[in-house]
Amino acid sequence: GAGVSQSPSNKVTEKGKDVELRCDPISGHTALYWYRQSLGQGLEFLIYFQGNSAPDKSGLPSDRFSAERTGGSVSTLTIQRTQQEDSAVYLCASSQDRYGPQHFGDGTRLSIL
Amino acid sequence: GQQVMQIPQYQHVQEGEDFTTYCNSSTTLSNIQWYKQRPGGHPVFLIQLVKSGEVKKQKRLTFQFGEAKKNSSLHITATQTTDVGTYFCASRGLSNDYKLSFGAGTTVTVRA
């Protein structure tokens, strides 16, 4: 398909484990965003990539969170030593450039036991 | 970051009625976007407004950007069950053109 693809769709893990979430943006989209959405809440900005660089990491909640993007395409969001408050839906979005509308993936629902 | 406030947080509407949801900012916005998220789904882009006083229509949905570019509204006429979901406004400030700050959303339910 031509949309933003995220994997896994669901992830259940024990507290203290590391998790890696993947986002495959729409081909040709240079801008990529990660958001976090807790149940019934709005979208919390985490990080923005333009190409492979991340000029804005201001939204990452702690140093346990990191993200990278390679080849101007796929991005991974890594959470180390997960805690229960990390439970949420993690959404990835891409846009053709930094001005345009964002196209979202279906998200990864992360549950920390 | 840019803060936008959305009101109301919840809107319970009788099918066939009209309603309006509002998005307000204390600072001037460069543009504003609206997204719709169906229950269990992801946000889907609806529209972008850029010009002061701009009005755009999509079928039964009317979007407006205030003259001072500090507020926006979404008006839905003759609400249908397909309108159920959460509507988010998202804004960019004048000095930051890549970061969208999302409002908390208006969650709409419809009674038949």
Side-chain angles (χ1 to χ4, degrees):
Chain A
V4 176
S5 177
Q6 289 188 248
S7 61
S9 55
N10 284 283
K11 178 71 176 179
V12 181
T13 192
E14 294 179 347
K15 176 182 171 181
K17 300 287 188 182
D18 297 353
V19 295
E20 189 172 278
L21 312 181
R22 176 189 168 105
C23 172
D24 201 342
I26 293 173
S27 178
H29 280 195
T30 61
L32 186 147
Y33 301 78
W34 283 97
Y35 296 91
R36 180 167 69 175
Q37 187 174 33
S38 299
L39 187 64
Q41 301 297 310
L43 278 72
E44 176 188 2
F45 169 83
L46 297 179
I47 190 168
Y48 155 71
F49 286 93
Q50 181 62 42
N52 289 337
S53 64
D56 189 346
K57 302 179 181 180
S58 63
L60 294 177
S62 74
D63 58 9
R64 297 186 295 105
F65 288 72
S66 63
E68 63 175 15
R69 188 180 185 193
T70 55
S73 181
V74 172
S75 176
T76 54
L77 176 69
T78 302
I79 309 173
Q80 295 179 309
R81 306 180 302 281
T82 53
Q83 301 179 6
Q84 287 186 334
E85 60 261 32
D86 298 333
S87 296
V89 175
Y90 289 81
L91 289 162
C92 174
S94 70
S95 61
Q96 199 160 15
D97 54 47
R98 64 181 185 268
Y99 307 106
Q102 296 185 7
H103 301 266
F104 285 82
D106 289 333
T108 294
R109 183 175 299 277
L110 178 64
S111 300
I112 309 299
L113 303 178
Chain B
Q2 189 64 45
Q3 294 277 346
V4 286
M5 302 297 293
Q6 275 190 262
I7 52 172
Q9 185 176 1
Y10 299 99
Q11 183 81 53
H12 192 54
V13 188
Q14 176 72 44
E15 189 175 18
E17 290 185 343
D18 303 351
F19 76 90
T20 304
T21 178
Y22 300 90
C23 183
N24 300 312
S25 170
S26 59
T27 58
T28 304
L29 307 172
S30 64
N31 58 51
I32 198 153
Q33 296 180 359
W34 286 88
Y35 291 78
K36 177 183 178 181
Q37 184 174 26
R38 294 182 183 274
H42 59 264
V44 174
F45 172 77
L46 294 177
I47 207 146
Q48 176 167 283
L49 304 172
V50 179
K51 299 177 182 176
S52 169
E54 188 170 13
V55 178
K56 288 188 176 180
K57 294 189 176 184
Q58 288 180 350
K59 297 183 180 178
R60 295 177 296 102
L61 278 61
T62 301
F63 304 84
Q64 188 166 5
F65 203 8
E67 292 290 341
K69 299 183 73 172
K70 290 185 177 181
N71 54 68
S72 181
S73 64
L74 160 59
H75 181 78
I76 299 182
T77 58
T79 304
Q80 300 178 359
T81 55
T82 54
D83 296 324
V84 165
T86 300
Y87 294 83
F88 294 99
C89 65
S91 69
R92 293 188 169 97
L94 291 178
S95 60
N96 184 328
D97 61 5
Y98 64 83
K99 183 176 178 179
L100 274 182
S101 294
F102 283 79
T106 294
T107 298
V108 176
T109 54
V110 178
R111 59 180 182 272

